[in-house]
Amino acid sequence: MDAAEGLQQHFSSSSQSHHIVAHFRRSWNVPPVAPRRRFPDRMDQVSNVSTVRVFHLAAFNETLNHRITIFCLSLLCYSVILLVNVSLIVTIVLDENLHEPMYILLCVCCINALYGTTGFYPKFLADLLSSAQVISYGGCLCQAFVMYSFVCSDTSILAVMAYDRYLAICRPLRYSSVMTRKRISELVLFSWLTPFCVFSVNILLTSRLTFCDADIQRLFCVNWLIVELACPDMDTVVNNAFAFATLSIYICHWLFVVWTYVYLVQTCLHSKEDRAKFMQTCLPNLISLVTFFVIVVSDIMHMRYASEDLPQGFHNFVALAVLVVPPVLNPLLYGFKMTKIRNSIFVLVHVRWK
């Protein structure tokens, strides 16, 4: 009984003390004590940022001081790309003398250039004029798909063009029976559908991830960099394994191209006529292949192993090279070097102005 009376007296005195403190605060206008703030732990932060649905293209930071100049130069570059590629496509389509496998493949190469650059330049130009350089989650995956499929389709098309030149010079008697319209259609579909299917799987694997960061250190979305933004607890082993398998497929493309041109050069050394044919039809393709290979390999090595201490402008230059040099160089190279295309362009221009 004494213990019960003691507890009752304790609670009664505590209640009275609370009333006294409350009366004191009201009398002297003392504000109430704010409740202690609960700081989120690491798991709360992860759960908050893993719902990223908008990415920030952080590579724009150093370009914004010169945005008008860069906008004008980029618009000029995109206009030139559209002009030269559309001109070559129209020339090949309108001139029936150019409806041959080599020129059809060149036309497909120009269409692919328009596809890839359209996936980048309109968004890039809009970002230069915008106050915020952001892209939605779905838009980022779509742009990454376009960039990868563009580069890999170009690789496949150049490999098919090398095979066409191999047959024309090394197997001339079999050329017309092998390179039929049906075979050309199958090779073109292979060049387009294979990258589309492969990178559809890549993008689907990326879409299952959740992300703990939203800053992409590029001017456009790249699947490799998107995967790097995944939360630490996400399993990206499957993504990396499939990316390695994809890279292996296109390394085989390049090995085939190297073998083809080594064989072509060996064959052409024995014949003056073959040497002339090689210089006329194979040299543009070889220059295009070497340029494209150097740009793509430099970009891959730079993206994965380059030092962060390098200037952002250099990073941007390496990233943009594949979207500037091949789309401009290839139509000009083939248009001026190949006599039939050059003559056809002159005829079309003369008829137009006449």
Side-chain angles (χ1 to χ4, degrees), residues 239-295:
N239 296 70
N240 295 332
F242 198 83
F244 179 77
T246 303
L247 185 62
S248 301
I249 292 173
Y250 288 97
I251 288 175
C252 292
H253 279 58
W254 287 110
L255 292 176
F256 170 77
V257 169
V258 171
W259 174 84
T260 300
Y261 273 95
V262 168
Y263 198 88
L264 274 169
V265 171
Q266 290 178 347
T267 303
C268 292
L269 290 176
H270 303 297
S271 170
K272 186 176 181 179
E273 182 181 351
D274 287 340
R275 283 200 299 271
K277 188 183 294 185
F278 179 88
M279 295 299 293
Q280 180 66 33
T281 61
C282 296
L283 188 61
N285 193 22
L286 186 58
I287 294 173
S288 178
L289 275 166
V290 172
T291 305
F292 188 72
F293 178 78
V294 170
I295 289 173

Side-chain angles (χ1 to χ4, degrees), residues 135-187:
I135 185 169
S136 67
Y137 174 75
C140 193
L141 291 182
C142 182
Q143 189 178 55
F145 174 81
V146 171
M147 293 296 104
Y148 275 87
S149 58
F150 154 66
V151 171
C152 292
S153 293
D154 233 19
T155 303
S156 297
I157 293 166
L158 291 172
V160 172
M161 293 175 77
Y163 176 66
D164 173 76
R165 292 299 85 204
Y166 162 77
L167 288 175
I169 295 175
C170 301
R171 301 287 186 269
L173 298 179
R174 296 183 55 196
Y175 181 75
S176 57
S177 61
V178 174
M179 297 301 285
T180 60
R181 291 198 173 187
K182 181 181 178 182
R183 180 62 56 81
I184 288 291
S185 301
E186 291 172 351
L187 291 172

Side-chain angles (χ1 to χ4, degrees), residues 77-344:
C77 181
Y78 187 44
S79 300
V80 170
I81 290 172
L82 291 175
L83 176 63
V84 294
N85 282 279
V86 170
S87 298
L88 203 58
I89 292 169
V90 171
T91 300
I92 294 172
V93 170
L94 293 181
D95 191 345
E96 293 185 358
N97 294 324
L98 298 178
H99 292 182
E100 299 175 7
M102 180 175 61
Y103 302 111
I104 293 172
L105 292 172
L106 177 56
C107 182
V108 172
C109 190
C110 292
I111 293 172
N112 191 60
L114 294 177
Y115 161 72
T117 52
T118 302
F120 167 72
Y121 280 98
K123 177 69 171 69
F124 177 66
L125 293 170
D127 283 334
L128 288 173
L129 300 179
S130 175
S131 59
Q133 290 72 40
V134 296
I135 185 169
S136 67
Y137 174 75
C140 193
L141 291 182
C142 182
Q143 189 178 55
F145 174 81
V146 171
M147 293 296 104
Y148 275 87
S149 58
F150 154 66
V151 171
C152 292
S153 293
D154 233 19
T155 303
S156 297
I157 293 166
L158 291 172
V160 172
M161 293 175 77
Y163 176 66
D164 173 76
R165 292 299 85 204
Y166 162 77
L167 288 175
I169 295 175
C170 301
R171 301 287 186 269
L173 298 179
R174 296 183 55 196
Y175 181 75
S176 57
S177 61
V178 174
M179 297 301 285
T180 60
R181 291 198 173 187
K182 181 181 178 182
R183 180 62 56 81
I184 288 291
S185 301
E186 291 172 351
L187 291 172
V188 169
L189 287 175
F190 166 79
S191 302
W192 275 340
L193 292 181
T194 302
F196 287 1
C197 294
V198 168
F199 286 106
S200 293
V201 177
N202 267 295
I203 297 301
L204 286 174
L205 290 174
T206 303
S207 65
R208 69 188 175 84
L209 303 176
T210 53
F211 303 97
C212 289
D213 194 0
D215 287 340
I216 296 177
Q217 300 298 325
R218 278 235 165 174
L219 297 171
F220 54 89
C221 293
V222 179
N223 191 56
W224 172 267
L225 297 180
I226 299 173
V227 173
E228 283 192 332
L229 301 180
C231 295
D233 59 337
M234 294 303 301
D235 182 13
T236 59
V237 174
V238 178
N239 296 70
N240 295 332
F242 198 83
F244 179 77
T246 303
L247 185 62
S248 301
I249 292 173
Y250 288 97
I251 288 175
C252 292
H253 279 58
W254 287 110
L255 292 176
F256 170 77
V257 169
V258 171
W259 174 84
T260 300
Y261 273 95
V262 168
Y263 198 88
L264 274 169
V265 171
Q266 290 178 347
T267 303
C268 292
L269 290 176
H270 303 297
S271 170
K272 186 176 181 179
E273 182 181 351
D274 287 340
R275 283 200 299 271
K277 188 183 294 185
F278 179 88
M279 295 299 293
Q280 180 66 33
T281 61
C282 296
L283 188 61
N285 193 22
L286 186 58
I287 294 173
S288 178
L289 275 166
V290 172
T291 305
F292 188 72
F293 178 78
V294 170
I295 289 173
V296 171
V297 171
S298 300
D299 187 30
I300 293 173
M301 299 298 290
H302 178 267
M303 182 169 54
R304 301 198 178 191
Y305 305 112
S307 171
E308 295 182 358
D309 297 331
L310 292 171
Q312 185 62 51
F314 179 77
H315 291 293
N316 293 343
F317 173 78
V318 174
L320 290 180
V322 74
L323 291 159
V324 176
V325 179
V328 174
L329 177 65
N330 290 347
L332 295 177
L333 188 64
Y334 287 106
F336 285 104
K337 183 62 180 175
M338 292 186 172
T339 307
K340 290 181 71 172
I341 293 180
R342 187 170 64 249
N343 293 340
S344 181

